[in-house]
Amino acid sequence: MNITVIGAGYVGLITAACFADLGNEVLCIEKRESTVNKLQKGESHIYEQGLTEILQKNLEEGRIRFTTNMEEAVKFSEVIFICVGTPQSDDGKADLSQVEEASRQIAEHLNGYKLIVEKSTVPVNTHQWVKKTIKRHAHEDAQFDVASNPEFLREGTGIYDFMNPDRIVVGAESDRAQVIFEELYAPFTKEGRPLLFTKPAAAELIKHASNSFLAMKISYINMISSLCEKVGVDVNTVAQGIGLDHRIGENFLNAGIGYGGSCFPKDVQAFIKIAEDHGLEFGLLKETEKINAFQKRSFLDKIEDILWINKDKNITVWGLAFKPETDDIREAPAIEITQELEKNGANLHLYDPEASDNFKNILAESDNVKYFEDKYDALKDADALLIITEWQEFKLADLKKVKELMRLPIIIDGRNIFGVDEMKEFEYYSVGR
Ligand code: UGA
């Protein structure tokens, strides 16, 4: 099948590369010419496990191309995926101006029937606006369907998630659209993966409801972790005990310093606003946000309780990305934590396997802020080590070497990456244990 993908961000690029890898002919349109030039050479502008390989392979085999030309992109195929950004506006609502722009541009170049698919995360009933916009700008007898097909890709494992979906959700109104989706996703349904057809509004809602539920689950276990600290119980044991109940499930019950990234914080807030717009107060999600903010604050309080004075202390930070396997620092807990420590006069030694360059835009290198290329170099003469992101290489660190390098063997672990028992040689603190 010929497929057009609008937008070469995380979602667009992964969608384009994976559809090409499944044997489709894909044309991906992106506004930024420099990005298109890089992608056309097989260089990805985002760090995502396996993406460069899959991109290069499909470029070589001629199944994927990149362009800045909207007319060419629309005319290329019957199926058009809208994967543009829906960032947060000042009032917490999703800014849909890029979705509107894409809809307008599609309308202007329509040639024959098109299936226009929203993949970007959008508020419920956005498909109505897309439809209305296309009708307004297209010629009178234009034939098209608008469908919603939300993505459930995690950054860092996006390719894996695309190729191994728990479910595929499609909100489509016509039989013609359904048949196209059935063909498109046949490689997955043949493996027995569920393809759920719904109304477009339900599909839009499913996306926000899924992300908000996961964020709520994290805040729930984080709240339990605070209680665990008060009563002397290990939160990991509680998570295991409740997670073994299949109705609850073990995933997303890792206590830590709160969720970040480009999705959960934005989507929870947008969902609260959507409910508000319909006269409903989503108190449950407001509390989810409150607990998430508290989690970062209480980690900072913990640091102060342990170190007493932060000023002039050498504090090493392992992990700046909002989670492992990505260079993304959007809404990363490391931002608030390092900024506060810098304000208090600490000497920060920062290390992340991928995210340092991005982080330098938040916290510039200075006399008090140093970035390191190696996690052990960052530890020399440290008065404390903070673990903010659970990269695998931290879990596998040589703890003997860690202890030798540090001035004081104090570790404050925001992600519970070590067992309490294996840390007897350290003054070791973690979350909810
Ligand atoms: C999330 C969803 O998991 C995807 O299904 C969804 O498609 C995506 O948002 C999106 O809307 O685009 P992502 O933000 O990449 O994916 O990352 P997650 O792996 O879900 O982690 C989000 C945050 O929760 C991270 O800060 C992580 O550290 C935190 N987290 C996760 C916890 O604190 N505890 C957990 O048990 C799990």
Side-chain angles (χ1 to χ4, degrees), residues 57-330:
K57 175 178 157 228
N58 285 283
L59 276 166
E60 269 164 37
E61 292 171 9
R63 277 191 301 270
I64 193 166
R65 272 190 309 120
F66 296 88
T67 183
T68 52
N69 184 331
M70 185 56 101
E71 184 171 354
E72 182 195 1
V74 174
K75 295 196 166 148
F76 177 74
S77 61
E78 202 178 45
V79 189
I80 302 175
F81 281 88
I82 301 181
C83 300
V84 296
T86 53
Q88 199 170 23
S89 324
D90 293 342
D91 62 357
K93 285 189 185 175
D95 171 357
L96 298 174
S97 51
Q98 293 181 54
V99 177
E100 200 227 20
E101 188 187 347
S103 311
R104 243 185 308 118
Q105 291 175 330
I106 292 169
E108 282 159 16
H109 302 296
L110 279 189
N111 61 327
Y113 173 82
K114 303 281 168 187
L115 173 57
I116 296 138
V117 192
E118 305 165 340
K119 226 183 206 326
S120 308
T121 301
V122 292
V124 59
N125 281 328
T126 298
H127 72 281
Q128 304 278 21
W129 278 107
V130 173
K131 228 193 295 188
K132 218 187 266 186
T133 308
I134 295 175
K135 268 205 182 114
R136 273 183 192 152
H137 293 270
H139 51 86
E140 241 171 55
D141 48 355
Q143 278 194 9
F144 67 94
D145 274 305
V146 174
S148 164
N149 173 211
E151 55 83 18
F152 303 104
L153 313 175
R154 290 164 299 171
E155 270 184 47
T157 50
I159 304 273
Y160 176 87
D161 289 345
F162 191 97
M163 295 300 197
N164 300 274
D166 284 349
R167 81 304 202 186
I168 300 150
V169 174
V170 169
E173 281 170 319
S174 76
D175 291 344
R176 186 170 186 174
Q178 280 208 16
V179 170
I180 294 175
F181 279 113
E182 272 161 7
E183 192 188 329
L184 195 60
Y185 286 117
F188 302 128
T189 49
K190 272 190 205 141
E191 290 173 353
R193 298 183 187 275
L195 170 58
L196 176 69
F197 280 111
T198 67
K199 294 259 194 284
E204 291 165 333
L205 205 64
I206 285 168
K207 170 67 193 198
H208 268 125
S210 294
N211 272 7
S212 298
F213 187 88
L214 292 170
M216 185 184 74
K217 207 171 170 190
I218 297 168
S219 278
Y220 183 78
I221 200 65
N222 279 336
M223 191 68 216
I224 302 268
S225 80
S226 299
L227 186 58
C228 282
E229 287 188 8
K230 303 267 181 222
V231 297
V233 170
D234 186 327
V235 69
N236 286 3
T237 315
V238 179
Q240 192 186 13
I242 60 176
L244 284 170
D245 183 331
H246 283 117
R247 292 169 303 174
I248 296 172
E250 287 169 282
N251 295 324
F252 273 67
L253 283 179
N254 297 320
I257 35 181
Y259 59 79
S262 65
C263 304
F264 287 175
K266 163 174 89 89
D267 290 351
V268 168
Q269 225 173 82
F271 211 28
I272 292 172
K273 285 281 171 203
I274 291 166
E276 233 167 68
D277 285 347
H278 292 85
L280 294 170
E281 155 126 9
F282 215 146
L284 192 59
L285 290 186
K286 287 187 178 167
E287 198 57 33
T288 297
E289 284 189 314
K290 221 161 104 185
I291 295 168
N292 202 50
F294 171 80
Q295 214 58 19
K296 278 179 266 184
R297 190 63 255 165
S298 74
F299 189 70
L300 279 162
D301 291 345
K302 193 176 273 177
I303 297 168
E304 205 173 301
D305 283 349
I306 294 162
L307 299 184
W308 187 24
I309 307 289
N310 292 330
K311 192 169 183 306
D312 296 332
K313 294 260 162 75
N314 292 339
I315 300 182
T316 300
V317 176
W318 276 5
L320 304 169
F322 86 95
K323 67 170 195 178
E325 303 304 336
T326 177
D327 62 354
D328 197 340
I329 57 159
R330 285 175 287 179

